[in-house]
Amino acid sequence: MTGVATTALRGRDAVWDAAVLRGIDARARAEVEAAGRLRTLRRDDVVYAAGAPADSLYVVVSGACVLAAVKRGEGGASVIRRASRGDVFGA
């Protein structure tokens, strides 16, 4: 098995460890797997931007990400929360 395949398998395992997905039945799990994909992000990559369709669910497999937004009336982004391994957020 290649390093990439091993990493992908570990990533899938981490997804199913997320509290919101833990314990779903086999049919639902198959549907999520068919619709989903693993993404590798680098520092400062943008996962989604304001105004983009909110149609995705993200599970942090490793590392962490900062969720930030511009509050109404403010010029710069404020950190809403920090998501780390096993955390889930939507966009």
Side-chain angles (χ1 to χ4, degrees):
M1 186 176 293
T2 69
V4 172
T6 302
T7 301
L9 288 175
R10 279 192 215 124
R12 285 190 184 97
D13 290 343
V15 168
W16 300 118
D17 285 343
V20 71
L21 297 173
R22 198 176 308 132
I24 65 172
D25 65 30
R27 180 175 162 243
R29 184 174 173 150
E31 289 177 11
V32 170
E33 286 181 345
R37 64 187 172 100
L38 293 175
R39 291 177 58 188
T40 300
L41 303 172
R42 295 188 183 109
R43 179 181 296 274
D44 297 325
D45 280 354
V46 175
V47 176
Y48 64 93
D55 59 359
S56 300
L57 176 78
Y58 295 90
V59 178
V60 180
V61 171
S62 66
C65 64
V66 173
L67 307 176
V70 177
K71 294 180 183 175
R72 215 173 269 157
E74 293 185 9
S78 298
V79 173
I80 297 169
R81 73 180 253 236
R82 184 175 188 271
S84 56
R85 185 184 183 349
D87 287 339
V88 176
F89 62 95

